Amino acid sequence: RKTYNQFLFEAGTNKYEGLILKVDRRQRDYEYYDDINYRSYFTRVTYIFNAEKFSLNAARSYSVLQAKSAGSFMVSLSPFFQRFTLKGGFNEYESSDSVFLSEISKKPSSVNLLVNGGYTYNFVFDGGEWSINPGLFMGPAIEKNLYPKEGASLKLIANYQLVLNGGYNGQNFYFHVNASYNSNNYHFMKSKMSIHNRGISLTCGYRMGKLKEKIFGVL
C-alpha cells in the first residue's frame, strides 16, 4: 500500500485453505472441507476527500502526526479476481456432497468490481500524541462468473467494514492497536458464500531518525 496526496493505492492477494458449509444455523451444524482452497487477487484505489486536514497515515499507521481532530469521507474502487480449487478427490467425502464437489472441481472463478464508501474520524488529544480513529465503510459490488459460464448476467454482492484504531504517537516511541471487521457476501456456485475477516493487532515502534533518501521510495 502507498499513500500519495489524496489517494491510497493497494494491491495484494488472499488465500484460504479449507471451507466451512453451514448445514443448520440453529443447531450450529457445519461441514468441513480441508482440501478446498480459495484465492483472490485485488487492487484498490481510495480517494480521501479531506486529505488537507485528515491524515490516513496518522490514523492507521502512525507514520505522521495529526495535530487536530478531523475526519473525512472516503470512496474506493476495487477490481478483484477469485477462484476455488479442489486439491483432493471425491472419495473421502459422502455421496451427498458430490454435486457441490463437482462444481468445485471445475475451478470456478469470477471477476468483481467493488465500490466502497464511508466515513472515518480521528479524535486526537495532547496535540496528536494520543488518538482514537473509528470508521464505517460499505458498498455494493458487481460479480461476473468467468467459469463455469452462466450466461451474461451480472450479480450484485454486498460488503461492509468496521475499523477502530487507537494509540500513542510520540516523537521517538509509538504504539497503536488496530481492530477491524470485514464482511463480504457473494452469489457463487449457485449458492450464497460469505467471507468474514476479523482481527486485532498491536504495533510498537521506535523511530530511527530521518533518512536523507528513502529506500525504494517507500521507507
Side-chain angles (χ1 to χ4, degrees):
R1 54 183 300 171
K2 175 69 175 178
T3 303
Y4 181 76
N5 293 335
Q6 293 179 303
F7 291 92
L8 170 65
F9 302 94
E10 298 173 281
T13 180
N14 294 309
K15 181 178 181 180
Y16 300 90
E17 295 185 355
L19 183 70
I20 300 175
L21 290 184
K22 186 182 297 182
V23 179
D24 191 325
R25 177 179 298 180
R26 294 182 179 181
Q27 300 294 329
R28 301 187 63 83
D29 187 15
Y30 301 91
E31 292 182 355
Y32 299 86
Y33 298 85
D34 297 329
D35 291 335
I36 296 177
N37 287 342
Y38 169 83
R39 192 71 179 258
S40 66
Y41 302 90
F42 71 91
T43 59
R44 185 183 300 114
V45 179
T46 302
Y47 182 80
I48 307 169
F49 285 87
N50 191 25
E52 294 82 5
K53 297 181 179 180
F54 169 80
S55 171
L56 190 62
N57 287 333
R60 301 277 177 91
S61 62
Y62 285 47
S63 58
V64 296
L65 185 71
Q66 181 177 320
K68 295 182 179 181
S69 298
S72 177
F73 287 98
M74 298 195 302
V75 62
S76 64
L77 185 67
S78 177
F80 63 96
F81 169 83
Q82 59 181 356
R83 182 179 64 181
F84 278 96
T85 56
L86 177 64
K87 295 189 301 180
F90 297 83
N91 297 330
E92 59 183 292
Y93 298 107
E94 298 178 2
S95 58
S96 60
D97 302 325
S98 59
V99 176
F100 169 74
L101 293 176
S102 177
E103 291 293 322
I104 291 290
S105 65
K106 298 176 184 178
K107 297 182 179 180
S109 59
S110 71
V111 62
N112 308 266
L113 181 64
L114 174 64
V115 179
N116 209 350
Y119 186 79
T120 182
Y121 195 91
N122 197 17
F123 298 92
V124 301
F125 311 93
D126 295 334
E129 289 190 350
W130 295 90
S131 66
I132 300 176
N133 167 235
L136 172 62
F137 307 91
M138 62 182 63
I142 299 175
E143 179 185 70
K144 169 61 178 176
N145 288 339
L146 297 180
Y147 187 84
K149 295 182 179 180
E150 298 179 357
S153 62
L154 299 176
K155 301 178 181 179
L156 287 176
I157 58 179
N159 166 274
Y160 70 90
Q161 182 182 30
L162 303 172
V163 297
L164 180 62
N165 311 302
Y168 172 75
N169 193 359
Q171 183 176 0
N172 297 319
F173 296 93
Y174 66 93
F175 65 88
H176 54 89
V177 177
N178 305 92
S180 65
Y181 178 81
N182 188 45
S183 175
N184 297 276
N185 295 314
Y186 303 97
H187 299 282
F188 209 28
M189 297 178 300
K190 301 178 182 180
S191 61
K192 180 180 178 181
M193 182 183 73
S194 299
I195 297 179
H196 304 282
N197 293 320
R198 61 180 67 89
I200 184 171
S201 64
L202 171 65
T203 302
C204 302
Y206 175 75
R207 308 187 195 280
M208 303 300 294
K210 296 182 178 179
L211 297 177
K212 294 182 179 180
E213 297 182 359
K214 294 183 179 180
I215 302 175
F216 300 113
V218 178
L219 300 177

